[in-house]
Short mmCIF file of all heavy atoms in Angstrom, two decimals:
data_model
loop_
_atom_site.label_atom_id
_atom_site.label_comp_id
_atom_site.label_asym_id
_atom_site.label_seq_id
_atom_site.Cartn_x
_atom_site.Cartn_y
_atom_site.Cartn_z
N ARG A 1 62.26 8.49 -81.27
CA ARG A 1 61.14 9.34 -80.76
C ARG A 1 59.95 9.08 -81.67
O ARG A 1 58.79 9.13 -81.15
CB ARG A 1 61.60 10.81 -80.91
CG ARG A 1 60.51 11.73 -80.55
CD ARG A 1 61.02 13.15 -80.53
NE ARG A 1 59.87 13.96 -80.16
CZ ARG A 1 59.90 15.19 -79.54
NH1 ARG A 1 60.98 15.69 -79.38
NH2 ARG A 1 58.89 15.79 -79.33
N ALA A 2 60.04 8.85 -82.93
CA ALA A 2 58.89 8.62 -83.87
C ALA A 2 58.22 7.35 -83.41
O ALA A 2 57.03 7.22 -83.44
CB ALA A 2 59.33 8.54 -85.29
N ARG A 3 59.00 6.29 -83.10
CA ARG A 3 58.42 5.03 -82.63
C ARG A 3 57.56 5.18 -81.28
O ARG A 3 56.55 4.68 -81.14
CB ARG A 3 59.51 3.95 -82.41
CG ARG A 3 58.95 2.66 -82.19
CD ARG A 3 60.02 1.59 -82.24
NE ARG A 3 60.78 1.73 -81.00
CZ ARG A 3 61.85 0.98 -80.73
NH1 ARG A 3 62.34 0.18 -81.71
NH2 ARG A 3 62.52 1.06 -79.66
N PHE A 4 58.02 6.08 -80.41
CA PHE A 4 57.33 6.29 -79.18
C PHE A 4 55.97 6.97 -79.54
O PHE A 4 54.98 6.61 -78.93
CB PHE A 4 58.15 7.37 -78.31
CG PHE A 4 57.48 7.86 -77.11
CD1 PHE A 4 57.18 7.03 -75.99
CD2 PHE A 4 56.94 9.14 -77.14
CE1 PHE A 4 56.38 7.51 -74.92
CE2 PHE A 4 56.27 9.66 -76.07
CZ PHE A 4 55.96 8.87 -74.97
N MET A 5 55.98 7.89 -80.41
CA MET A 5 54.75 8.64 -80.88
C MET A 5 53.74 7.63 -81.32
O MET A 5 52.55 7.75 -81.13
CB MET A 5 55.10 9.64 -81.82
CG MET A 5 55.93 10.90 -81.26
SD MET A 5 55.15 11.65 -79.86
CE MET A 5 53.96 12.62 -80.70
N VAL A 6 54.24 6.72 -82.22
CA VAL A 6 53.35 5.65 -82.88
C VAL A 6 52.78 4.77 -81.81
O VAL A 6 51.55 4.48 -81.78
CB VAL A 6 54.21 4.94 -83.89
CG1 VAL A 6 53.32 3.71 -84.46
CG2 VAL A 6 54.49 5.79 -85.11
N GLU A 7 53.68 4.36 -80.89
CA GLU A 7 53.21 3.46 -79.71
C GLU A 7 52.18 4.18 -78.93
O GLU A 7 51.18 3.62 -78.57
CB GLU A 7 54.36 2.95 -79.02
CG GLU A 7 55.19 1.94 -79.68
CD GLU A 7 56.39 1.54 -78.83
OE1 GLU A 7 56.49 1.84 -77.73
OE2 GLU A 7 57.31 0.84 -79.42
N LYS A 8 52.33 5.51 -78.66
CA LYS A 8 51.45 6.26 -77.87
C LYS A 8 50.16 6.38 -78.55
O LYS A 8 49.10 6.27 -77.94
CB LYS A 8 52.07 7.60 -77.64
CG LYS A 8 51.29 8.52 -76.74
CD LYS A 8 51.93 9.88 -76.44
CE LYS A 8 51.06 10.75 -75.62
NZ LYS A 8 51.62 12.04 -75.52
N ALA A 9 50.19 6.60 -79.92
CA ALA A 9 48.96 6.77 -80.57
C ALA A 9 48.20 5.45 -80.67
O ALA A 9 46.88 5.38 -80.55
CB ALA A 9 49.30 7.19 -82.02
N GLU A 10 48.96 4.31 -80.70
CA GLU A 10 48.25 3.08 -80.68
C GLU A 10 47.61 2.79 -79.34
O GLU A 10 46.51 2.14 -79.24
CB GLU A 10 49.24 1.89 -80.98
CG GLU A 10 49.63 1.86 -82.42
CD GLU A 10 50.81 0.84 -82.75
OE1 GLU A 10 51.12 0.07 -81.90
OE2 GLU A 10 51.15 0.72 -83.98
N GLN A 11 48.32 3.15 -78.29
CA GLN A 11 47.68 2.90 -76.97
C GLN A 11 46.42 3.83 -76.81
O GLN A 11 45.46 3.37 -76.23
CB GLN A 11 48.70 3.21 -75.90
CG GLN A 11 49.83 2.26 -75.68
CD GLN A 11 49.41 1.00 -75.31
OE1 GLN A 11 48.54 0.90 -74.50
NE2 GLN A 11 49.91 -0.10 -75.87
N GLN A 12 46.50 4.94 -77.26
CA GLN A 12 45.33 5.92 -77.18
C GLN A 12 44.18 5.25 -78.07
O GLN A 12 42.98 5.34 -77.57
CB GLN A 12 45.63 7.28 -77.70
CG GLN A 12 46.49 8.01 -76.79
CD GLN A 12 47.01 9.40 -77.32
OE1 GLN A 12 46.90 9.62 -78.50
NE2 GLN A 12 47.45 10.25 -76.37
N LYS A 13 44.42 4.73 -79.16
CA LYS A 13 43.43 4.10 -79.96
C LYS A 13 42.78 2.89 -79.28
O LYS A 13 41.55 2.75 -79.20
CB LYS A 13 44.08 3.63 -81.27
CG LYS A 13 43.12 2.88 -82.19
CD LYS A 13 43.87 2.33 -83.47
CE LYS A 13 43.00 1.38 -84.31
NZ LYS A 13 43.73 0.78 -85.35
N LYS A 14 43.62 2.13 -78.63
CA LYS A 14 43.14 0.95 -77.83
C LYS A 14 42.27 1.33 -76.63
O LYS A 14 41.25 0.88 -76.35
CB LYS A 14 44.24 0.03 -77.34
CG LYS A 14 44.95 -0.71 -78.45
CD LYS A 14 46.08 -1.55 -77.81
CE LYS A 14 46.92 -2.31 -79.00
NZ LYS A 14 47.98 -3.08 -78.35
N ALA A 15 42.72 2.47 -76.03
CA ALA A 15 41.99 3.00 -74.81
C ALA A 15 40.62 3.56 -75.34
O ALA A 15 39.56 3.35 -74.67
CB ALA A 15 42.69 4.10 -74.18
N ALA A 16 40.59 4.15 -76.47
CA ALA A 16 39.25 4.72 -77.06
C ALA A 16 38.32 3.62 -77.48
O ALA A 16 37.10 3.62 -77.16
CB ALA A 16 39.54 5.65 -78.21
N ILE A 17 38.92 2.49 -77.98
CA ILE A 17 38.07 1.39 -78.35
C ILE A 17 37.42 0.66 -77.07
O ILE A 17 36.22 0.32 -77.04
CB ILE A 17 38.82 0.32 -79.17
CG1 ILE A 17 39.17 0.91 -80.46
CG2 ILE A 17 38.08 -0.99 -79.23
CD1 ILE A 17 40.08 0.11 -81.33
N ILE A 18 38.30 0.54 -76.03
CA ILE A 18 37.80 -0.17 -74.78
C ILE A 18 36.74 0.77 -74.17
O ILE A 18 35.70 0.31 -73.62
CB ILE A 18 39.09 -0.36 -73.79
CG1 ILE A 18 39.90 -1.42 -74.43
CG2 ILE A 18 38.52 -0.65 -72.46
CD1 ILE A 18 41.26 -1.64 -73.68
N SER A 19 36.94 2.03 -74.09
CA SER A 19 36.08 3.08 -73.56
C SER A 19 34.69 2.97 -74.28
O SER A 19 33.55 2.94 -73.69
CB SER A 19 36.63 4.42 -73.55
OG SER A 19 35.66 5.37 -73.08
N ALA A 20 34.79 2.87 -75.69
CA ALA A 20 33.50 2.88 -76.45
C ALA A 20 32.74 1.52 -76.25
O ALA A 20 31.56 1.62 -76.14
CB ALA A 20 33.83 3.02 -77.86
N LYS A 21 33.39 0.44 -76.08
CA LYS A 21 32.88 -0.72 -75.79
C LYS A 21 32.21 -0.80 -74.45
O LYS A 21 31.08 -1.31 -74.27
CB LYS A 21 33.78 -1.97 -75.78
CG LYS A 21 34.18 -2.37 -77.26
CD LYS A 21 35.21 -3.54 -77.28
CE LYS A 21 35.63 -3.81 -78.65
NZ LYS A 21 36.62 -5.00 -78.66
N SER A 22 32.79 -0.19 -73.46
CA SER A 22 32.32 -0.18 -72.10
C SER A 22 31.05 0.67 -72.12
O SER A 22 29.97 0.49 -71.41
CB SER A 22 33.29 0.28 -71.02
OG SER A 22 33.73 1.53 -71.35
N ASP A 23 31.14 1.84 -72.77
CA ASP A 23 29.96 2.76 -72.80
C ASP A 23 28.75 2.00 -73.49
O ASP A 23 27.54 2.29 -73.03
CB ASP A 23 30.24 4.07 -73.61
CG ASP A 23 31.22 4.99 -72.89
OD1 ASP A 23 31.36 4.75 -71.62
OD2 ASP A 23 31.72 5.83 -73.44
N SER A 24 29.03 1.32 -74.62
CA SER A 24 28.01 0.58 -75.25
C SER A 24 27.39 -0.42 -74.32
O SER A 24 26.15 -0.64 -74.32
CB SER A 24 28.57 -0.10 -76.51
OG SER A 24 27.64 -0.90 -77.07
N LYS A 25 28.13 -1.21 -73.61
CA LYS A 25 27.65 -2.11 -72.68
C LYS A 25 26.76 -1.56 -71.58
O LYS A 25 25.76 -2.04 -71.19
CB LYS A 25 28.84 -2.96 -72.05
CG LYS A 25 28.43 -4.08 -71.16
CD LYS A 25 27.70 -5.22 -71.89
CE LYS A 25 27.34 -6.33 -71.07
NZ LYS A 25 26.57 -7.33 -71.65
N ALA A 26 27.27 -0.49 -71.08
CA ALA A 26 26.55 0.25 -70.02
C ALA A 26 25.05 0.76 -70.51
O ALA A 26 24.21 0.53 -69.77
CB ALA A 26 27.34 1.56 -69.43
N ALA A 27 25.16 1.28 -71.74
CA ALA A 27 23.87 1.72 -72.25
C ALA A 27 22.90 0.53 -72.50
O ALA A 27 21.70 0.57 -72.25
CB ALA A 27 24.13 2.38 -73.62
N GLU A 28 23.51 -0.54 -72.92
CA GLU A 28 22.70 -1.79 -73.16
C GLU A 28 22.05 -2.28 -71.82
O GLU A 28 20.92 -2.65 -71.77
CB GLU A 28 23.60 -2.95 -73.89
CG GLU A 28 22.90 -4.22 -74.02
CD GLU A 28 23.90 -5.24 -74.69
OE1 GLU A 28 24.75 -4.81 -75.36
OE2 GLU A 28 23.61 -6.39 -74.43
N LEU A 29 22.97 -2.26 -70.71
CA LEU A 29 22.38 -2.65 -69.47
C LEU A 29 21.25 -1.71 -68.93
O LEU A 29 20.20 -2.24 -68.46
CB LEU A 29 23.51 -2.76 -68.45
CG LEU A 29 24.61 -3.86 -68.65
CD1 LEU A 29 25.71 -3.69 -67.75
CD2 LEU A 29 23.92 -5.15 -68.47
N ILE A 30 21.44 -0.45 -69.21
CA ILE A 30 20.41 0.49 -68.82
C ILE A 30 19.10 0.25 -69.57
O ILE A 30 17.98 0.24 -68.97
CB ILE A 30 20.89 2.02 -68.90
CG1 ILE A 30 22.05 2.27 -67.88
CG2 ILE A 30 19.73 2.94 -68.76
CD1 ILE A 30 22.65 3.59 -68.17
N VAL A 31 19.18 0.01 -70.88
CA VAL A 31 18.07 -0.23 -71.67
C VAL A 31 17.32 -1.49 -71.26
O VAL A 31 16.12 -1.55 -71.03
CB VAL A 31 18.35 -0.35 -73.13
CG1 VAL A 31 17.18 -0.91 -73.97
CG2 VAL A 31 18.80 1.05 -73.67
N ASN A 32 18.09 -2.51 -70.91
CA ASN A 32 17.50 -3.78 -70.44
C ASN A 32 16.89 -3.64 -69.17
O ASN A 32 15.75 -4.22 -68.83
CB ASN A 32 18.57 -4.87 -70.43
CG ASN A 32 19.03 -5.34 -71.77
OD1 ASN A 32 18.38 -5.10 -72.79
ND2 ASN A 32 20.15 -5.95 -71.85
N SER A 33 17.52 -2.81 -68.12
CA SER A 33 16.92 -2.69 -66.83
C SER A 33 15.57 -1.99 -67.00
O SER A 33 14.68 -2.27 -66.33
CB SER A 33 17.88 -1.86 -66.04
OG SER A 33 19.01 -2.56 -65.82
N LEU A 34 15.56 -0.88 -67.84
CA LEU A 34 14.38 -0.13 -68.01
C LEU A 34 13.25 -0.96 -68.59
O LEU A 34 12.08 -0.82 -68.32
CB LEU A 34 14.59 1.12 -68.91
CG LEU A 34 15.49 2.26 -68.16
CD1 LEU A 34 15.69 3.28 -69.18
CD2 LEU A 34 14.64 2.80 -66.96
N ALA A 35 13.56 -1.90 -69.49
CA ALA A 35 12.62 -2.71 -70.14
C ALA A 35 12.04 -3.71 -69.18
O ALA A 35 10.77 -3.96 -69.25
CB ALA A 35 13.24 -3.45 -71.36
N THR A 36 12.73 -4.15 -68.23
CA THR A 36 12.31 -5.15 -67.27
C THR A 36 11.67 -4.53 -66.20
O THR A 36 10.70 -5.10 -65.54
CB THR A 36 13.40 -6.12 -66.80
OG1 THR A 36 14.52 -5.40 -66.27
CG2 THR A 36 13.92 -7.00 -67.91
N ALA A 37 12.19 -3.43 -65.63
CA ALA A 37 11.73 -2.79 -64.43
C ALA A 37 10.70 -1.67 -64.66
O ALA A 37 10.10 -1.05 -63.73
CB ALA A 37 12.86 -2.29 -63.60
N GLY A 38 10.61 -1.18 -65.80
CA GLY A 38 9.74 -0.13 -66.14
C GLY A 38 10.46 1.17 -65.86
O GLY A 38 11.59 1.36 -65.78
N ASP A 39 9.55 2.22 -65.55
CA ASP A 39 10.01 3.55 -65.33
C ASP A 39 10.33 3.82 -63.87
O ASP A 39 10.56 4.92 -63.42
CB ASP A 39 9.05 4.52 -65.87
CG ASP A 39 8.95 4.51 -67.41
OD1 ASP A 39 9.85 4.00 -67.97
OD2 ASP A 39 7.79 4.99 -67.90
N GLY A 40 10.40 2.73 -63.07
CA GLY A 40 10.60 2.91 -61.66
C GLY A 40 11.96 3.63 -61.26
O GLY A 40 11.98 4.50 -60.37
N LEU A 41 12.96 3.28 -61.99
CA LEU A 41 14.32 3.85 -61.80
C LEU A 41 14.28 5.26 -62.14
O LEU A 41 14.81 6.12 -61.28
CB LEU A 41 15.40 3.10 -62.60
CG LEU A 41 16.76 3.60 -62.43
CD1 LEU A 41 17.29 3.48 -61.06
CD2 LEU A 41 17.68 2.93 -63.37
N ILE A 42 13.64 5.62 -63.19
CA ILE A 42 13.59 7.11 -63.58
C ILE A 42 12.74 7.88 -62.56
O ILE A 42 13.15 8.94 -62.11
CB ILE A 42 12.87 7.19 -64.93
CG1 ILE A 42 13.78 6.69 -66.07
CG2 ILE A 42 12.60 8.73 -65.25
CD1 ILE A 42 13.26 6.61 -67.38
N GLU A 43 11.71 7.30 -62.00
CA GLU A 43 10.93 7.97 -61.08
C GLU A 43 11.78 8.07 -59.71
O GLU A 43 11.65 9.08 -59.07
CB GLU A 43 9.63 7.19 -60.78
CG GLU A 43 8.65 7.31 -61.91
CD GLU A 43 8.19 8.68 -62.22
OE1 GLU A 43 7.86 9.54 -61.24
OE2 GLU A 43 8.12 9.02 -63.34
N LEU A 44 12.45 7.10 -59.41
CA LEU A 44 13.28 7.15 -58.24
C LEU A 44 14.39 8.19 -58.32
O LEU A 44 14.62 9.02 -57.40
CB LEU A 44 14.04 5.85 -58.01
CG LEU A 44 14.91 5.75 -56.78
CD1 LEU A 44 14.26 5.97 -55.36
CD2 LEU A 44 15.70 4.43 -56.85
N ARG A 45 15.03 8.35 -59.45
CA ARG A 45 16.00 9.50 -59.68
C ARG A 45 15.33 10.87 -59.64
O ARG A 45 15.88 11.71 -59.11
CB ARG A 45 16.64 9.21 -61.05
CG ARG A 45 17.59 7.93 -61.09
CD ARG A 45 18.65 8.12 -60.17
NE ARG A 45 19.54 6.84 -60.29
CZ ARG A 45 19.90 6.03 -59.44
NH1 ARG A 45 19.61 6.29 -58.23
NH2 ARG A 45 20.72 5.07 -59.69
N LYS A 46 14.14 10.93 -60.19
CA LYS A 46 13.44 12.22 -60.06
C LYS A 46 13.17 12.68 -58.69
O LYS A 46 13.38 13.70 -58.21
CB LYS A 46 12.11 12.12 -60.79
CG LYS A 46 12.26 12.20 -62.35
CD LYS A 46 10.84 12.20 -62.98
CE LYS A 46 10.86 12.08 -64.41
NZ LYS A 46 9.58 12.03 -65.05
N LEU A 47 12.72 11.69 -57.76
CA LEU A 47 12.52 11.86 -56.36
C LEU A 47 13.70 12.31 -55.67
O LEU A 47 13.72 13.16 -54.88
CB LEU A 47 11.80 10.76 -55.72
CG LEU A 47 10.39 10.40 -56.14
CD1 LEU A 47 9.82 9.10 -55.59
CD2 LEU A 47 9.42 11.57 -55.74
N GLU A 48 14.82 11.60 -56.01
CA GLU A 48 16.13 11.86 -55.37
C GLU A 48 16.57 13.26 -55.77
O GLU A 48 17.08 14.08 -54.85
CB GLU A 48 17.17 10.84 -55.67
CG GLU A 48 16.88 9.53 -55.08
CD GLU A 48 17.95 8.43 -55.63
OE1 GLU A 48 18.57 8.68 -56.60
OE2 GLU A 48 17.93 7.33 -54.95
N ALA A 49 16.40 13.58 -57.04
CA ALA A 49 16.84 14.94 -57.43
C ALA A 49 15.94 16.06 -56.78
O ALA A 49 16.50 17.10 -56.33
CB ALA A 49 16.67 15.13 -58.93
N ALA A 50 14.59 15.83 -56.71
CA ALA A 50 13.77 16.73 -55.99
C ALA A 50 14.07 16.94 -54.52
O ALA A 50 14.08 18.06 -54.00
CB ALA A 50 12.35 16.37 -56.15
N GLU A 51 14.38 15.84 -53.85
CA GLU A 51 14.85 15.88 -52.55
C GLU A 51 16.14 16.68 -52.26
O GLU A 51 16.29 17.52 -51.31
CB GLU A 51 14.93 14.47 -51.98
CG GLU A 51 15.38 14.40 -50.51
CD GLU A 51 15.67 13.00 -50.08
OE1 GLU A 51 15.92 12.05 -50.83
OE2 GLU A 51 15.58 12.80 -48.72
N ASP A 52 17.06 16.53 -53.14
CA ASP A 52 18.31 17.20 -53.10
C ASP A 52 18.14 18.77 -53.41
O ASP A 52 18.61 19.53 -52.64
CB ASP A 52 19.26 16.59 -54.19
CG ASP A 52 20.65 17.33 -54.07
OD1 ASP A 52 21.24 17.46 -52.94
OD2 ASP A 52 21.20 17.75 -55.10
N ILE A 53 17.23 19.00 -54.29
CA ILE A 53 16.93 20.45 -54.65
C ILE A 53 16.22 21.14 -53.37
O ILE A 53 16.55 22.22 -53.08
CB ILE A 53 16.13 20.63 -55.94
CG1 ILE A 53 16.90 20.19 -57.17
CG2 ILE A 53 15.54 22.02 -56.05
CD1 ILE A 53 16.08 20.05 -58.40
N ALA A 54 15.26 20.34 -52.84
CA ALA A 54 14.59 20.95 -51.60
C ALA A 54 15.47 21.16 -50.55
O ALA A 54 15.44 22.19 -49.73
CB ALA A 54 13.46 19.97 -51.27
N TYR A 55 16.47 20.22 -50.32
CA TYR A 55 17.49 20.41 -49.29
C TYR A 55 18.28 21.59 -49.46
O TYR A 55 18.53 22.43 -48.53
CB TYR A 55 18.26 19.20 -49.07
CG TYR A 55 19.43 19.36 -48.10
CD1 TYR A 55 19.10 19.29 -46.70
CD2 TYR A 55 20.66 19.55 -48.49
CE1 TYR A 55 20.16 19.48 -45.74
CE2 TYR A 55 21.72 19.72 -47.57
CZ TYR A 55 21.53 19.72 -46.25
OH TYR A 55 22.47 19.87 -45.36
N GLN A 56 18.81 21.73 -50.65
CA GLN A 56 19.66 22.94 -50.96
C GLN A 56 18.94 24.27 -50.84
O GLN A 56 19.52 25.15 -50.33
CB GLN A 56 20.22 22.70 -52.36
CG GLN A 56 21.28 21.60 -52.52
CD GLN A 56 21.85 21.49 -53.88
OE1 GLN A 56 21.66 22.34 -54.72
NE2 GLN A 56 22.57 20.54 -54.13
N LEU A 57 17.68 24.27 -51.26
CA LEU A 57 16.83 25.52 -51.10
C LEU A 57 16.59 25.83 -49.70
O LEU A 57 16.57 26.97 -49.28
CB LEU A 57 15.67 25.36 -51.97
CG LEU A 57 15.80 25.41 -53.47
CD1 LEU A 57 14.45 25.34 -54.19
CD2 LEU A 57 16.48 26.76 -53.95
N SER A 58 16.38 24.75 -48.88
CA SER A 58 15.93 25.06 -47.49
C SER A 58 17.18 25.35 -46.58
O SER A 58 16.97 25.91 -45.49
CB SER A 58 15.32 23.88 -46.90
OG SER A 58 16.21 22.79 -46.69
N SER A 59 18.36 25.04 -47.06
CA SER A 59 19.54 25.31 -46.19
C SER A 59 20.07 26.74 -46.42
O SER A 59 20.91 27.07 -45.66
CB SER A 59 20.63 24.33 -46.62
OG SER A 59 21.08 24.44 -47.93
N ARG A 60 19.45 27.56 -47.25
CA ARG A 60 19.88 28.94 -47.37
C ARG A 60 19.01 29.85 -46.83
O ARG A 60 17.78 29.51 -46.59
CB ARG A 60 20.10 29.25 -48.86
CG ARG A 60 21.05 28.33 -49.59
CD ARG A 60 21.14 28.80 -51.00
NE ARG A 60 22.00 27.86 -51.86
CZ ARG A 60 21.82 27.66 -53.10
NH1 ARG A 60 20.88 28.15 -53.80
NH2 ARG A 60 22.67 26.75 -53.63
N ASN A 61 19.54 30.93 -46.42
CA ASN A 61 18.61 31.98 -45.76
C ASN A 61 17.99 32.90 -46.92
O ASN A 61 18.33 34.05 -47.01
CB ASN A 61 19.33 32.78 -44.76
CG ASN A 61 18.42 33.57 -43.86
OD1 ASN A 61 17.22 33.49 -43.91
ND2 ASN A 61 18.97 34.56 -43.23
N ILE A 62 17.16 32.41 -47.78
CA ILE A 62 16.76 33.03 -48.84
C ILE A 62 15.13 32.97 -48.99
O ILE A 62 14.60 31.97 -48.63
CB ILE A 62 17.24 32.51 -50.19
CG1 ILE A 62 18.75 32.64 -50.30
CG2 ILE A 62 16.53 33.13 -51.47
CD1 ILE A 62 19.44 31.96 -51.50
N THR A 63 14.47 34.10 -49.23
CA THR A 63 13.02 34.02 -49.35
C THR A 63 12.65 34.23 -50.81
O THR A 63 13.19 35.08 -51.51
CB THR A 63 12.38 35.23 -48.63
OG1 THR A 63 12.86 35.08 -47.29
CG2 THR A 63 10.89 35.24 -48.72
N TYR A 64 11.81 33.34 -51.30
CA TYR A 64 11.36 33.39 -52.76
C TYR A 64 9.97 34.05 -52.73
O TYR A 64 9.02 33.68 -52.00
CB TYR A 64 11.31 31.95 -53.28
CG TYR A 64 12.75 31.39 -53.44
CD1 TYR A 64 13.26 30.58 -52.49
CD2 TYR A 64 13.46 31.61 -54.69
CE1 TYR A 64 14.58 30.03 -52.58
CE2 TYR A 64 14.73 31.12 -54.79
CZ TYR A 64 15.22 30.34 -53.75
OH TYR A 64 16.47 29.86 -53.83
N LEU A 65 9.91 35.03 -53.67
CA LEU A 65 8.56 35.79 -53.77
C LEU A 65 7.89 35.32 -55.01
O LEU A 65 8.41 34.87 -55.92
CB LEU A 65 8.89 37.23 -53.90
CG LEU A 65 9.66 37.95 -52.72
CD1 LEU A 65 9.90 39.36 -53.06
CD2 LEU A 65 8.79 37.90 -51.47
N PRO A 66 6.57 35.33 -54.94
CA PRO A 66 5.73 35.01 -56.11
C PRO A 66 6.09 35.89 -57.33
O PRO A 66 6.51 37.11 -57.11
CB PRO A 66 4.31 35.17 -55.69
CG PRO A 66 4.27 35.25 -54.20
CD PRO A 66 5.63 35.68 -53.83
N ALA A 67 5.78 35.45 -58.46
CA ALA A 67 6.20 36.20 -59.68
C ALA A 67 5.36 37.51 -59.72
O ALA A 67 4.14 37.54 -59.28
CB ALA A 67 5.87 35.35 -60.86
N GLY A 68 5.86 38.60 -60.03
CA GLY A 68 5.31 39.80 -60.22
C GLY A 68 5.19 40.62 -58.96
O GLY A 68 4.87 41.76 -58.88
N GLN A 69 5.73 40.10 -57.81
CA GLN A 69 5.72 40.81 -56.51
C GLN A 69 7.12 41.36 -56.23
O GLN A 69 8.09 40.52 -56.09
CB GLN A 69 5.27 39.89 -55.39
CG GLN A 69 5.05 40.67 -54.14
CD GLN A 69 4.52 39.76 -53.08
OE1 GLN A 69 4.06 38.69 -53.31
NE2 GLN A 69 4.53 40.22 -51.80
N SER A 70 7.27 42.63 -56.28
CA SER A 70 8.61 43.22 -56.21
C SER A 70 9.15 43.41 -54.81
O SER A 70 10.32 43.46 -54.69
CB SER A 70 8.66 44.52 -57.00
OG SER A 70 7.74 45.44 -56.51
N VAL A 71 8.19 43.63 -53.78
CA VAL A 71 8.66 43.77 -52.45
C VAL A 71 7.92 42.85 -51.56
O VAL A 71 6.87 42.43 -51.87
CB VAL A 71 8.54 45.26 -51.98
CG1 VAL A 71 9.45 46.19 -52.75
CG2 VAL A 71 7.19 45.70 -52.17
N LEU A 72 8.62 42.57 -50.40
CA LEU A 72 7.81 41.68 -49.41
C LEU A 72 6.68 42.30 -48.81
O LEU A 72 5.63 41.71 -48.64
CB LEU A 72 8.83 41.21 -48.44
CG LEU A 72 8.43 40.07 -47.52
CD1 LEU A 72 7.99 38.86 -48.33
CD2 LEU A 72 9.59 39.68 -46.62
N LEU A 73 6.89 43.52 -48.36
CA LEU A 73 5.74 44.30 -47.65
C LEU A 73 5.48 45.55 -48.46
O LEU A 73 6.37 46.29 -48.85
CB LEU A 73 6.28 44.75 -46.31
CG LEU A 73 6.56 43.60 -45.24
CD1 LEU A 73 7.08 44.16 -43.97
CD2 LEU A 73 5.31 42.81 -45.04
N GLN A 74 4.14 45.82 -48.69
CA GLN A 74 3.70 47.05 -49.35
C GLN A 74 3.41 48.07 -48.23
O GLN A 74 2.35 47.95 -47.69
CB GLN A 74 2.50 46.78 -50.20
CG GLN A 74 2.59 45.70 -51.35
CD GLN A 74 3.49 46.35 -52.41
OE1 GLN A 74 3.49 47.58 -52.60
NE2 GLN A 74 4.03 45.50 -53.32
N LEU A 75 4.33 48.91 -48.05
CA LEU A 75 4.23 49.97 -46.99
C LEU A 75 3.66 51.27 -47.66
O LEU A 75 4.12 51.65 -48.69
CB LEU A 75 5.51 50.22 -46.28
CG LEU A 75 6.01 49.02 -45.54
CD1 LEU A 75 7.45 49.46 -45.02
CD2 LEU A 75 5.26 48.56 -44.46
N SER A 76 2.65 51.85 -46.96
CA SER A 76 2.07 53.15 -47.44
C SER A 76 3.11 54.21 -47.05
O SER A 76 3.84 54.26 -46.13
CB SER A 76 0.78 53.43 -46.81
OG SER A 76 0.88 53.54 -45.36
N GLN A 77 3.14 55.21 -48.08
CA GLN A 77 4.14 56.30 -47.80
C GLN A 77 3.40 57.62 -47.39
O GLN A 77 2.53 57.96 -47.80
CB GLN A 77 4.95 56.47 -49.10
CG GLN A 77 5.83 55.30 -49.44
CD GLN A 77 6.65 55.43 -50.77
OE1 GLN A 77 6.32 56.38 -51.45
NE2 GLN A 77 7.52 54.65 -50.95
#
């Protein structure tokens, strides 16, 4: 049983090393892409996020009021 635990720990160690190497490579690729392409990718992601937010807000039956306005209609009493 102790040998199994040691082998399991060694496998977890190897998996952590492989994961760290792949994360490092991914970060390196992103940095290189941004260096060559500029901020176009970031702007594209911002536009995609804005489009998604707009879609989610428009698909609900919710009305947003300006700040400081507590009711939709000011009715006289």
